[in-house]
């Protein structure tokens, strides 16, 4: 029995998508506040239960996970962590990481950069960076933050607890989280499986 050529062609081109597993990474973010009551919020995910760490660098400076040198001189930071699903409950906060954990500022000598580490189940989360004195208001992210709308509540803007004039630059890392590769697409031909892929650009900063 002779098959018609159209039967041979059917099934030669078969599209397939292969999603590669996520891998552990450090996400680094930077930016500049224009007012004391500004807020920077970044979303991240983890595919398995693990210990994550969030470290701020703006006040005393340092080298972040991307290898960039962050200058000192920024504002006193405050970090809040929320669940990104459902009611977006508040999970943890940190004002000052403490000396020996974060760097001390060359001007004030204070260790005011925020730091937290905690074990989280698989899921999506929101990390919010604010200036010290602007904590979350309620048990969930939609409840907002204490000083929203108050503008330059430090009287500066960006005065620290000693009255030192700082500036609005900030930086923080979220470590040991997922950074998924993009999907790879392949097609079957008469000579086998060909793989075509591309690499997604690095996460945006700021």
């Amino acid at each position: 029995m002779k098959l018609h050529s159209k039967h041979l062609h059917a099934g030669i081109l078969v599209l397939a998508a292969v999603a590669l597993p996520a891998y552990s990474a450090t996400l680094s973010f930077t930016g500049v506040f224009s007012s004391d009551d500004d807020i920077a919020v970044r979303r991240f995910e983890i595919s398995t239960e693990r210990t994550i760490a969030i470290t701020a660098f703006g006040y005393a400076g340092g080298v972040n996970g991307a290898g960039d040198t962050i200058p000192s001189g920024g504002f006193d930071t405050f970090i809040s962590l929320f669940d990104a699903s459902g009611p977006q409950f508040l999970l943890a906060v940190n004002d000052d990481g403490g000396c020996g954990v974060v760097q001390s500022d060359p001007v004030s000598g204070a260790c005011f950069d925020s730091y937290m580490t905690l074990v989280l189940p698989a899921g999506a989360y929101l990390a919010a960076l604010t200036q010290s004195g602007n904590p979350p208001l309620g048990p969930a992210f939609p409840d907002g933050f204490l000083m929203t709308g108050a503008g330059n509540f430090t009287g500066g803007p960006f005065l620290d607890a000693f009255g030192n004039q700082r500036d609005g630059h900030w930086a923080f890392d979220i470590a040991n989280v997922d950074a998924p590769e993009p999907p790879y697409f392949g097609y079957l031909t008469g000579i086998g499986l060909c793989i075509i892929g591309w690499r997604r650009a690095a996460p945006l900063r700021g």
Side-chain angles (χ1 to χ4, degrees):
M1 177 178 175
K2 185 177 180 180
L3 293 176
H4 194 278
S5 60
K6 71 177 181 180
H7 295 112
L8 291 176
H9 293 160
I12 289 180
L13 297 179
V14 180
L15 293 178
V18 181
L20 298 183
Y23 62 93
S24 178
T26 295
L27 305 181
S28 295
F29 305 100
T30 61
V32 180
F33 280 2
S34 59
S35 176
D36 286 340
D37 63 346
D38 285 350
I39 303 169
V41 181
R42 298 295 181 266
R43 186 180 187 276
F44 66 92
E45 297 182 4
I46 55 175
S47 55
T48 59
E49 180 179 289
R50 70 188 70 166
T51 301
I52 66 102
I54 305 176
T55 309
F57 297 93
Y59 187 81
V63 178
N64 70 4
D68 298 326
T69 298
I70 308 301
S72 61
F75 56 86
D76 182 356
T77 55
F78 190 100
I79 291 174
S80 306
L81 180 66
F82 302 85
D83 190 339
S85 60
Q88 300 180 324
F89 285 126
L90 177 65
L91 303 176
V93 297
N94 180 264
D95 191 353
D96 301 328
C99 296
V101 178
V102 298
Q103 294 190 176
S104 60
D105 181 68
V107 174
S108 69
C111 306
F112 283 168
D113 276 315
S114 302
Y115 173 83
M116 68 168 65
T117 180
L118 66 166
V119 178
L120 295 175
Y125 299 90
L126 300 174
L129 181 78
T130 57
Q131 186 167 190
S132 181
N134 189 18
L137 270 174
F141 180 73
D143 294 318
F145 291 78
L146 178 63
M147 303 306 294
T148 297
N152 295 319
F153 60 84
T154 67
F158 311 121
L159 296 183
D160 69 9
F162 306 112
N164 296 316
Q165 181 64 65
R166 315 294 291 190
D167 64 37
H169 85 270
W170 56 264
F172 72 95
D173 282 357
I174 310 175
N176 202 26
V177 300
D178 287 358
E181 288 283 353
Y184 280 73
F185 297 94
Y187 59 90
L188 291 170
T189 70
I191 59 173
L193 177 65
C194 296
I195 300 296
I196 301 173
W198 65 91
R199 183 171 295 277
R200 184 176 297 162
L204 293 177
R205 298 181 193 164

